[in-house]
Amino acid sequence: MSQPQVVKEEDLSLLVDLYELAMAQAYWSEGMDGKAVFSLFFRQLPDKRNFVLACGQQNVVSIIENLTFTDEHIGRLESLDRFQPAFLDWLRDFRFSGSVHAVAEGTPLFPQEPLLEIEGPIAEVQLLESLVMNYVHLESVLASKAVRLAFAAESRPVVDFGMRRTHGLDAAHRGVRAYRLAGLAGTSDVLAGLDFSMPVYGTMAHSFVQACADELDAFRIYAKLYPGTTLLVDTYDTRASVRRIISWLKNNPEVSIGGIRLDSGDLLAEAEDCRKMLDEAGLTDIKIMASGGLDEYRIAELLSSGAPIDGFGVGTAIGVSNDEPALELAYKLTEYADLPRMKNSPGKQSFPGPKQIYRRLGTDGRIVQDIVAGRDEVHDGTPLLRPVMKHGRIVEGAILSLDDQVRAAGNAIDTLPERFRSLEPIGEVPTLISDFLKALQRDTLDKVNRRAKNTPD
């Protein structure tokens, strides 16, 4: 068999950890087909985050809806010599038959708040664990990084330049969807930009300037081909390059240049000097864009120092979420056969039962408090978890178009109080666990302990 270059969508049913298949066979062999509820959440925020921007949790249901095991998949599983023929027949007939509740794409969340809950026959829901976690983890981590860049840029455009250093093609592609939901202005990734209706940006690399006989020749070629282009000016001597551009434009007023890009050196000093030269020459409409090793901290530092920079390109820092590259998502069983279930390991205790999140806003439209409650509880505020799939099919109208999701995500981000927008950790969350869930946890743990001691209820 040739080595696959990428994971094909039709093969996603095999994108499972082995123990999920092993447990599914054990459930099947024991006739354990009761309804289970699994919750996807995180217990703690990453050290450098004040919230997580949840992304991917609704989008993944389209994958769930179409998961099947083909004859080729069954043949490959047979080669592992671990599965009974009748169980493989069960897999051959597999179609997810359960339901999914999820928060909207681009919703800011805090610890213990489910991004989604999946319910259905336990073997079916167990099989989805790693696929769902991987899918939601990627977009949520990258969106949570991207929104910080948008905050730091203070309404100036931020463009994704990260494709070449992301951890795989899937991350480079789906990351752009997350960036759009987080409020970034564009991407250099052509395929992803086209697929997710994100503006695509890009000008030239230093190699083009180096390949031309003269730096100004490179600029002339680009200005002719791409009116309004942005010119990369730091290949040799930034200030000398800008002086040459000014002279050229004065002698050729028909030439249209939209901006210059600074990619190295002392960005503050170079931006100040270039802005002064351009303004004194009457070229006040030419923008200055900066790139080169930027992250939200560097952007905030530049702007707080008064750097006259109009936009930013960010690569590695966003593509790998370099300061917090992982989110400790958990996918835990909270109910089976209509009985609450929980985990009580040290530091990993969970709350049993299906849940709802109620978000209460103040008169200023900002978050005052979130209540994590049982699904059937009613509290003040807006319920965030909504049904997006029932009986294995996406609920009609439940999932918005990407454009509408972007608008809704922007509105949700706007509800964050100012302190949560800080780039520094504030050590505060607005989440309250309901009394009902606390009591259910105590009662469930008490029953587990009594059963362990063979003590009758």
Short mmCIF file of all heavy atoms in Angstrom, two decimals, residues 26-83:
data_model
loop_
_atom_site.label_atom_id
_atom_site.label_comp_id
_atom_site.label_asym_id
_atom_site.label_seq_id
_atom_site.Cartn_x
_atom_site.Cartn_y
_atom_site.Cartn_z
N ALA A 26 -16.43 -4.48 23.56
CA ALA A 26 -16.82 -4.98 24.88
C ALA A 26 -18.27 -4.60 25.20
O ALA A 26 -19.04 -5.42 25.71
CB ALA A 26 -15.88 -4.42 25.95
N TYR A 27 -18.66 -3.34 24.91
CA TYR A 27 -20.06 -2.94 25.10
C TYR A 27 -20.98 -3.83 24.26
O TYR A 27 -22.00 -4.32 24.73
CB TYR A 27 -20.27 -1.48 24.67
CG TYR A 27 -19.60 -0.44 25.54
CD1 TYR A 27 -18.95 0.66 24.96
CD2 TYR A 27 -19.63 -0.51 26.93
CE1 TYR A 27 -18.34 1.63 25.73
CE2 TYR A 27 -19.02 0.46 27.71
CZ TYR A 27 -18.38 1.52 27.10
OH TYR A 27 -17.78 2.48 27.87
N TRP A 28 -20.61 -4.01 23.00
CA TRP A 28 -21.42 -4.82 22.08
C TRP A 28 -21.55 -6.26 22.56
O TRP A 28 -22.64 -6.83 22.58
CB TRP A 28 -20.78 -4.75 20.69
CG TRP A 28 -21.33 -5.75 19.72
CD1 TRP A 28 -22.46 -5.62 18.96
CD2 TRP A 28 -20.78 -7.03 19.43
NE1 TRP A 28 -22.65 -6.76 18.21
CE2 TRP A 28 -21.63 -7.64 18.48
CE3 TRP A 28 -19.66 -7.74 19.87
CZ2 TRP A 28 -21.38 -8.91 17.96
CZ3 TRP A 28 -19.41 -9.00 19.36
CH2 TRP A 28 -20.26 -9.58 18.43
N SER A 29 -20.42 -6.84 22.97
CA SER A 29 -20.44 -8.25 23.37
C SER A 29 -21.25 -8.48 24.64
O SER A 29 -21.80 -9.56 24.85
CB SER A 29 -19.01 -8.77 23.56
OG SER A 29 -18.39 -8.14 24.67
N GLU A 30 -21.34 -7.46 25.50
CA GLU A 30 -22.08 -7.58 26.74
C GLU A 30 -23.52 -7.06 26.63
O GLU A 30 -24.25 -7.03 27.63
CB GLU A 30 -21.36 -6.80 27.85
CG GLU A 30 -20.03 -7.39 28.24
CD GLU A 30 -20.16 -8.81 28.79
OE1 GLU A 30 -21.04 -9.03 29.66
OE2 GLU A 30 -19.42 -9.70 28.32
N GLY A 31 -23.90 -6.66 25.44
CA GLY A 31 -25.26 -6.15 25.26
C GLY A 31 -25.50 -4.82 25.95
O GLY A 31 -26.65 -4.46 26.26
N MET A 32 -24.44 -4.06 26.19
CA MET A 32 -24.57 -2.75 26.84
C MET A 32 -24.87 -1.70 25.77
O MET A 32 -23.96 -1.13 25.16
CB MET A 32 -23.29 -2.40 27.60
CG MET A 32 -22.98 -3.35 28.75
SD MET A 32 -21.37 -2.99 29.54
CE MET A 32 -21.68 -1.34 30.19
N ASP A 33 -26.14 -1.48 25.54
CA ASP A 33 -26.54 -0.54 24.49
C ASP A 33 -27.40 0.59 25.03
O ASP A 33 -28.13 1.25 24.29
CB ASP A 33 -27.27 -1.27 23.36
CG ASP A 33 -28.50 -2.02 23.85
OD1 ASP A 33 -28.79 -1.98 25.06
OD2 ASP A 33 -29.19 -2.64 23.01
N GLY A 34 -27.31 0.85 26.34
CA GLY A 34 -28.07 1.94 26.93
C GLY A 34 -27.57 3.29 26.48
O GLY A 34 -26.46 3.43 25.97
N LYS A 35 -28.42 4.30 26.67
CA LYS A 35 -28.05 5.67 26.27
C LYS A 35 -26.99 6.22 27.20
O LYS A 35 -27.11 6.13 28.42
CB LYS A 35 -29.27 6.58 26.29
CG LYS A 35 -28.99 7.97 25.72
CD LYS A 35 -30.18 8.89 25.86
CE LYS A 35 -30.31 9.41 27.28
NZ LYS A 35 -31.34 10.47 27.43
N ALA A 36 -25.96 6.80 26.61
CA ALA A 36 -24.88 7.43 27.36
C ALA A 36 -24.81 8.90 27.00
O ALA A 36 -25.15 9.31 25.89
CB ALA A 36 -23.54 6.76 27.05
N VAL A 37 -24.37 9.71 27.96
CA VAL A 37 -24.10 11.12 27.73
C VAL A 37 -22.63 11.36 28.01
O VAL A 37 -22.14 11.05 29.11
CB VAL A 37 -24.96 12.03 28.62
CG1 VAL A 37 -24.62 13.50 28.37
CG2 VAL A 37 -26.44 11.78 28.38
N PHE A 38 -21.90 11.89 27.04
CA PHE A 38 -20.51 12.28 27.20
C PHE A 38 -20.41 13.79 27.06
O PHE A 38 -21.04 14.39 26.17
CB PHE A 38 -19.61 11.62 26.15
CG PHE A 38 -19.24 10.20 26.46
CD1 PHE A 38 -20.15 9.16 26.29
CD2 PHE A 38 -17.97 9.89 26.92
CE1 PHE A 38 -19.81 7.85 26.55
CE2 PHE A 38 -17.61 8.57 27.20
CZ PHE A 38 -18.53 7.55 27.02
N SER A 39 -19.61 14.41 27.90
CA SER A 39 -19.45 15.86 27.91
C SER A 39 -18.01 16.21 27.55
O SER A 39 -17.07 15.60 28.06
CB SER A 39 -19.80 16.41 29.30
OG SER A 39 -19.72 17.82 29.32
N LEU A 40 -17.84 17.19 26.66
CA LEU A 40 -16.53 17.69 26.27
C LEU A 40 -16.31 19.04 26.94
O LEU A 40 -17.05 20.00 26.69
CB LEU A 40 -16.44 17.84 24.75
CG LEU A 40 -15.09 18.31 24.20
CD1 LEU A 40 -14.03 17.23 24.38
CD2 LEU A 40 -15.20 18.70 22.73
N PHE A 41 -15.29 19.13 27.81
CA PHE A 41 -15.06 20.34 28.60
C PHE A 41 -13.60 20.39 29.01
O PHE A 41 -12.81 19.50 28.70
CB PHE A 41 -15.95 20.33 29.86
CG PHE A 41 -15.61 19.22 30.83
CD1 PHE A 41 -14.85 19.48 31.96
CD2 PHE A 41 -16.04 17.91 30.61
CE1 PHE A 41 -14.51 18.46 32.85
CE2 PHE A 41 -15.70 16.89 31.48
CZ PHE A 41 -14.95 17.17 32.61
N PHE A 42 -13.21 21.46 29.69
CA PHE A 42 -11.87 21.54 30.26
C PHE A 42 -12.00 21.97 31.71
O PHE A 42 -12.89 22.74 32.08
CB PHE A 42 -10.96 22.51 29.48
CG PHE A 42 -11.52 23.89 29.29
CD1 PHE A 42 -11.20 24.93 30.17
CD2 PHE A 42 -12.38 24.17 28.24
CE1 PHE A 42 -11.71 26.20 30.00
CE2 PHE A 42 -12.90 25.46 28.06
CZ PHE A 42 -12.56 26.47 28.94
N ARG A 43 -11.12 21.41 32.55
CA ARG A 43 -11.21 21.67 33.99
C ARG A 43 -10.53 22.98 34.40
O ARG A 43 -10.94 23.63 35.35
CB ARG A 43 -10.59 20.51 34.77
CG ARG A 43 -11.30 19.18 34.57
CD ARG A 43 -10.66 18.10 35.42
NE ARG A 43 -11.30 16.81 35.23
CZ ARG A 43 -10.96 15.94 34.28
NH1 ARG A 43 -9.96 16.22 33.46
NH2 ARG A 43 -11.59 14.79 34.17
N GLN A 44 -9.45 23.30 33.69
CA GLN A 44 -8.68 24.50 34.02
C GLN A 44 -8.32 25.25 32.74
O GLN A 44 -8.14 24.65 31.67
CB GLN A 44 -7.39 24.14 34.76
CG GLN A 44 -7.60 23.53 36.13
CD GLN A 44 -6.27 23.20 36.80
OE1 GLN A 44 -5.32 22.80 36.14
NE2 GLN A 44 -6.21 23.40 38.11
N LEU A 45 -8.20 26.56 32.87
CA LEU A 45 -7.71 27.35 31.75
C LEU A 45 -6.21 27.14 31.58
O LEU A 45 -5.49 26.93 32.56
CB LEU A 45 -7.96 28.83 32.01
CG LEU A 45 -9.40 29.33 31.87
CD1 LEU A 45 -9.53 30.72 32.49
CD2 LEU A 45 -9.82 29.36 30.40
N PRO A 46 -5.71 27.22 30.36
CA PRO A 46 -4.25 27.29 30.19
C PRO A 46 -3.71 28.49 30.97
O PRO A 46 -4.41 29.49 31.16
CB PRO A 46 -4.09 27.49 28.67
CG PRO A 46 -5.34 26.91 28.07
CD PRO A 46 -6.42 27.20 29.06
N ASP A 47 -2.48 28.40 31.43
CA ASP A 47 -1.92 29.41 32.33
C ASP A 47 -2.01 30.82 31.77
O ASP A 47 -2.18 31.78 32.53
CB ASP A 47 -0.45 29.07 32.64
CG ASP A 47 -0.31 27.85 33.52
OD1 ASP A 47 -1.32 27.47 34.16
OD2 ASP A 47 0.79 27.28 33.56
N LYS A 48 -1.89 30.97 30.45
CA LYS A 48 -1.84 32.31 29.86
C LYS A 48 -3.14 32.68 29.14
O LYS A 48 -3.14 33.53 28.24
CB LYS A 48 -0.66 32.41 28.90
CG LYS A 48 0.68 32.25 29.61
CD LYS A 48 1.85 32.36 28.65
CE LYS A 48 3.18 32.16 29.38
NZ LYS A 48 4.33 32.21 28.45
N ARG A 49 -4.24 32.07 29.53
CA ARG A 49 -5.52 32.39 28.92
C ARG A 49 -6.53 32.77 29.99
O ARG A 49 -6.54 32.19 31.08
CB ARG A 49 -6.06 31.19 28.14
CG ARG A 49 -5.19 30.73 26.98
CD ARG A 49 -5.21 31.72 25.83
NE ARG A 49 -4.39 31.26 24.71
CZ ARG A 49 -3.12 31.57 24.52
NH1 ARG A 49 -2.49 32.37 25.40
NH2 ARG A 49 -2.45 31.12 23.48
N ASN A 50 -7.38 33.72 29.66
CA ASN A 50 -8.46 34.12 30.57
C ASN A 50 -9.81 33.55 30.14
O ASN A 50 -10.79 33.67 30.87
CB ASN A 50 -8.55 35.65 30.62
CG ASN A 50 -7.36 36.26 31.33
OD1 ASN A 50 -6.89 35.74 32.34
ND2 ASN A 50 -6.85 37.35 30.80
N PHE A 51 -9.83 32.93 28.98
CA PHE A 51 -11.01 32.23 28.49
C PHE A 51 -10.56 31.39 27.30
O PHE A 51 -9.44 31.55 26.80
CB PHE A 51 -12.12 33.21 28.05
CG PHE A 51 -11.72 34.08 26.89
CD1 PHE A 51 -11.99 33.71 25.58
CD2 PHE A 51 -11.05 35.29 27.10
CE1 PHE A 51 -11.60 34.51 24.51
CE2 PHE A 51 -10.66 36.09 26.05
CZ PHE A 51 -10.94 35.70 24.74
N VAL A 52 -11.42 30.51 26.86
CA VAL A 52 -11.17 29.72 25.65
C VAL A 52 -12.26 30.07 24.65
O VAL A 52 -13.45 30.09 25.00
CB VAL A 52 -11.18 28.21 25.95
CG1 VAL A 52 -11.29 27.39 24.67
CG2 VAL A 52 -9.92 27.83 26.71
N LEU A 53 -11.86 30.35 23.42
CA LEU A 53 -12.84 30.62 22.38
C LEU A 53 -13.18 29.28 21.71
O LEU A 53 -12.38 28.72 20.97
CB LEU A 53 -12.28 31.61 21.36
CG LEU A 53 -13.31 32.28 20.47
CD1 LEU A 53 -14.25 33.16 21.28
CD2 LEU A 53 -12.64 33.11 19.38
N ALA A 54 -14.37 28.78 22.00
CA ALA A 54 -14.76 27.45 21.55
C ALA A 54 -15.05 27.46 20.05
O ALA A 54 -15.89 28.22 19.58
CB ALA A 54 -15.99 26.98 22.32
N CYS A 55 -14.36 26.61 19.31
CA CYS A 55 -14.56 26.52 17.86
C CYS A 55 -14.49 25.06 17.41
O CYS A 55 -13.71 24.28 17.95
CB CYS A 55 -13.49 27.32 17.12
SG CYS A 55 -13.73 29.10 17.16
N GLY A 56 -15.28 24.74 16.42
CA GLY A 56 -15.27 23.40 15.84
C GLY A 56 -16.33 22.48 16.38
O GLY A 56 -16.62 21.44 15.78
N GLN A 57 -16.96 22.82 17.51
CA GLN A 57 -17.88 21.90 18.17
C GLN A 57 -19.19 21.71 17.41
O GLN A 57 -19.83 20.67 17.52
CB GLN A 57 -18.14 22.33 19.61
CG GLN A 57 -18.85 23.64 19.77
CD GLN A 57 -17.94 24.84 19.62
OE1 GLN A 57 -16.72 24.71 19.55
NE2 GLN A 57 -18.52 26.02 19.58
N GLN A 58 -19.60 22.70 16.64
CA GLN A 58 -20.77 22.50 15.79
C GLN A 58 -20.36 21.95 14.43
O GLN A 58 -21.04 21.10 13.85
CB GLN A 58 -21.54 23.82 15.61
CG GLN A 58 -22.29 24.26 16.85
CD GLN A 58 -23.29 25.38 16.54
OE1 GLN A 58 -23.41 25.85 15.42
NE2 GLN A 58 -24.02 25.80 17.56
N ASN A 59 -19.24 22.43 13.91
CA ASN A 59 -18.80 22.02 12.59
C ASN A 59 -18.50 20.52 12.51
O ASN A 59 -18.68 19.89 11.47
CB ASN A 59 -17.55 22.81 12.21
CG ASN A 59 -17.40 22.98 10.71
OD1 ASN A 59 -18.38 23.16 10.00
ND2 ASN A 59 -16.18 22.93 10.23
N VAL A 60 -18.09 19.93 13.63
CA VAL A 60 -17.72 18.52 13.61
C VAL A 60 -18.92 17.60 13.42
O VAL A 60 -18.77 16.45 13.04
CB VAL A 60 -16.94 18.15 14.91
CG1 VAL A 60 -17.87 18.06 16.10
CG2 VAL A 60 -16.16 16.85 14.73
N VAL A 61 -20.13 18.11 13.66
CA VAL A 61 -21.28 17.22 13.54
C VAL A 61 -21.50 16.77 12.10
O VAL A 61 -22.08 15.70 11.86
CB VAL A 61 -22.58 17.86 14.11
CG1 VAL A 61 -22.43 18.17 15.58
CG2 VAL A 61 -22.99 19.07 13.32
N SER A 62 -21.05 17.56 11.12
CA SER A 62 -21.18 17.11 9.73
C SER A 62 -20.32 15.88 9.47
O SER A 62 -20.67 15.02 8.65
CB SER A 62 -20.79 18.24 8.77
OG SER A 62 -19.44 18.62 8.94
N ILE A 63 -19.20 15.78 10.18
CA ILE A 63 -18.36 14.58 10.07
C ILE A 63 -19.05 13.41 10.76
O ILE A 63 -19.11 12.30 10.23
CB ILE A 63 -16.97 14.85 10.68
CG1 ILE A 63 -16.21 15.85 9.82
CG2 ILE A 63 -16.17 13.56 10.82
CD1 ILE A 63 -14.87 16.25 10.38
N ILE A 64 -19.59 13.66 11.95
CA ILE A 64 -20.28 12.60 12.69
C ILE A 64 -21.43 12.04 11.86
O ILE A 64 -21.65 10.83 11.80
CB ILE A 64 -20.80 13.15 14.03
CG1 ILE A 64 -19.63 13.54 14.94
CG2 ILE A 64 -21.70 12.14 14.73
CD1 ILE A 64 -20.05 14.26 16.21
N GLU A 65 -22.17 12.92 11.20
CA GLU A 65 -23.33 12.50 10.43
C GLU A 65 -22.97 11.55 9.30
O GLU A 65 -23.75 10.67 8.92
CB GLU A 65 -24.05 13.73 9.87
CG GLU A 65 -25.36 13.43 9.16
CD GLU A 65 -26.02 14.69 8.62
OE1 GLU A 65 -25.33 15.48 7.95
OE2 GLU A 65 -27.22 14.88 8.88
N ASN A 66 -21.76 11.70 8.76
CA ASN A 66 -21.38 10.93 7.57
C ASN A 66 -20.40 9.80 7.85
O ASN A 66 -19.93 9.16 6.90
CB ASN A 66 -20.76 11.90 6.55
CG ASN A 66 -21.76 12.91 6.03
OD1 ASN A 66 -22.82 12.54 5.57
ND2 ASN A 66 -21.42 14.19 6.12
N LEU A 67 -20.11 9.52 9.12
CA LEU A 67 -19.15 8.46 9.42
C LEU A 67 -19.70 7.08 9.04
O LEU A 67 -20.81 6.71 9.43
CB LEU A 67 -18.80 8.46 10.91
CG LEU A 67 -17.77 9.47 11.40
CD1 LEU A 67 -17.57 9.30 12.89
CD2 LEU A 67 -16.45 9.31 10.67
N THR A 68 -18.91 6.33 8.31
CA THR A 68 -19.24 4.93 7.98
C THR A 68 -17.95 4.12 7.94
O THR A 68 -16.85 4.66 7.78
CB THR A 68 -19.92 4.82 6.60
OG1 THR A 68 -19.02 5.31 5.59
CG2 THR A 68 -21.23 5.58 6.56
N PHE A 69 -18.11 2.82 8.09
CA PHE A 69 -16.99 1.88 7.94
C PHE A 69 -17.20 1.12 6.64
O PHE A 69 -18.16 0.35 6.50
CB PHE A 69 -16.92 0.92 9.13
CG PHE A 69 -16.49 1.57 10.42
CD1 PHE A 69 -17.41 2.19 11.24
CD2 PHE A 69 -15.16 1.55 10.81
CE1 PHE A 69 -17.02 2.79 12.44
CE2 PHE A 69 -14.75 2.15 11.99
CZ PHE A 69 -15.68 2.77 12.80
N THR A 70 -16.32 1.33 5.69
CA THR A 70 -16.43 0.67 4.39
C THR A 70 -15.86 -0.74 4.47
O THR A 70 -15.22 -1.13 5.45
CB THR A 70 -15.67 1.47 3.33
OG1 THR A 70 -14.25 1.42 3.64
CG2 THR A 70 -16.13 2.92 3.28
N ASP A 71 -16.06 -1.49 3.39
CA ASP A 71 -15.48 -2.84 3.33
C ASP A 71 -13.96 -2.78 3.44
O ASP A 71 -13.34 -3.65 4.07
CB ASP A 71 -15.88 -3.52 2.02
CG ASP A 71 -17.35 -3.92 1.99
OD1 ASP A 71 -17.97 -4.00 3.08
OD2 ASP A 71 -17.89 -4.13 0.89
N GLU A 72 -13.36 -1.74 2.86
CA GLU A 72 -11.90 -1.59 2.98
C GLU A 72 -11.51 -1.36 4.44
O GLU A 72 -10.53 -1.95 4.92
CB GLU A 72 -11.41 -0.43 2.12
CG GLU A 72 -9.90 -0.22 2.21
CD GLU A 72 -9.43 1.02 1.45
OE1 GLU A 72 -10.24 1.64 0.74
OE2 GLU A 72 -8.24 1.36 1.60
N HIS A 73 -12.27 -0.53 5.15
CA HIS A 73 -11.98 -0.29 6.56
C HIS A 73 -12.09 -1.58 7.36
O HIS A 73 -11.23 -1.88 8.21
CB HIS A 73 -12.97 0.73 7.15
CG HIS A 73 -12.86 2.08 6.53
ND1 HIS A 73 -13.92 2.97 6.50
CD2 HIS A 73 -11.83 2.71 5.90
CE1 HIS A 73 -13.54 4.07 5.90
NE2 HIS A 73 -12.29 3.95 5.52
N ILE A 74 -13.13 -2.35 7.10
CA ILE A 74 -13.33 -3.60 7.82
C ILE A 74 -12.17 -4.56 7.55
O ILE A 74 -11.65 -5.22 8.46
CB ILE A 74 -14.67 -4.24 7.44
CG1 ILE A 74 -15.84 -3.31 7.81
CG2 ILE A 74 -14.84 -5.59 8.13
CD1 ILE A 74 -15.93 -2.93 9.25
N GLY A 75 -11.73 -4.60 6.30
CA GLY A 75 -10.61 -5.47 5.97
C GLY A 75 -9.34 -5.06 6.71
O GLY A 75 -8.57 -5.92 7.19
N ARG A 76 -9.12 -3.79 6.84
CA ARG A 76 -7.92 -3.32 7.55
C ARG A 76 -8.03 -3.62 9.04
O ARG A 76 -7.03 -3.97 9.68
CB ARG A 76 -7.72 -1.83 7.31
CG ARG A 76 -7.45 -1.49 5.84
CD ARG A 76 -7.26 -0.01 5.60
NE ARG A 76 -5.98 0.44 6.12
CZ ARG A 76 -5.54 1.70 6.02
NH1 ARG A 76 -6.32 2.62 5.46
NH2 ARG A 76 -4.36 2.03 6.51
N LEU A 77 -9.23 -3.50 9.59
CA LEU A 77 -9.41 -3.84 11.00
C LEU A 77 -9.24 -5.35 11.23
O LEU A 77 -8.72 -5.77 12.27
CB LEU A 77 -10.78 -3.38 11.48
CG LEU A 77 -10.96 -1.86 11.61
CD1 LEU A 77 -12.40 -1.53 11.98
CD2 LEU A 77 -10.00 -1.28 12.66
N GLU A 78 -9.67 -6.14 10.28
CA GLU A 78 -9.48 -7.60 10.39
C GLU A 78 -8.00 -7.95 10.52
O GLU A 78 -7.63 -8.90 11.23
CB GLU A 78 -10.07 -8.31 9.16
CG GLU A 78 -11.58 -8.44 9.18
CD GLU A 78 -12.11 -9.12 7.93
OE1 GLU A 78 -11.50 -8.94 6.86
OE2 GLU A 78 -13.13 -9.82 8.03
N SER A 79 -7.16 -7.16 9.87
CA SER A 79 -5.72 -7.45 9.89
C SER A 79 -5.12 -7.29 11.28
O SER A 79 -4.03 -7.81 11.55
CB SER A 79 -4.98 -6.55 8.89
OG SER A 79 -4.97 -5.19 9.35
N LEU A 80 -5.81 -6.58 12.17
CA LEU A 80 -5.32 -6.42 13.55
C LEU A 80 -5.55 -7.67 14.39
O LEU A 80 -4.96 -7.81 15.46
CB LEU A 80 -6.00 -5.22 14.21
CG LEU A 80 -5.74 -3.85 13.56
CD1 LEU A 80 -6.55 -2.77 14.28
CD2 LEU A 80 -4.26 -3.51 13.60
N ASP A 81 -6.43 -8.55 13.92
CA ASP A 81 -6.70 -9.82 14.60
C ASP A 81 -7.14 -9.60 16.05
O ASP A 81 -6.70 -10.30 16.96
CB ASP A 81 -5.46 -10.72 14.56
CG ASP A 81 -5.80 -12.18 14.87
OD1 ASP A 81 -6.96 -12.57 14.65
OD2 ASP A 81 -4.91 -12.89 15.36
N ARG A 82 -8.02 -8.63 16.25
CA ARG A 82 -8.51 -8.32 17.59
C ARG A 82 -10.02 -8.30 17.70
O ARG A 82 -10.57 -8.24 18.80
CB ARG A 82 -7.99 -6.94 18.04
CG ARG A 82 -6.49 -6.81 18.14
CD ARG A 82 -6.11 -5.40 18.53
NE ARG A 82 -6.54 -5.07 19.88
CZ ARG A 82 -5.78 -5.16 20.97
NH1 ARG A 82 -4.52 -5.59 20.86
NH2 ARG A 82 -6.24 -4.84 22.16
N PHE A 83 -10.71 -8.34 16.55
CA PHE A 83 -12.15 -8.10 16.58
C PHE A 83 -12.92 -9.29 16.02
O PHE A 83 -12.53 -9.90 15.02
CB PHE A 83 -12.48 -6.83 15.78
CG PHE A 83 -11.76 -5.62 16.29
CD1 PHE A 83 -10.74 -5.03 15.55
CD2 PHE A 83 -12.07 -5.08 17.54
CE1 PHE A 83 -10.06 -3.93 16.03
CE2 PHE A 83 -11.39 -3.98 18.02
CZ PHE A 83 -10.38 -3.40 17.27
#
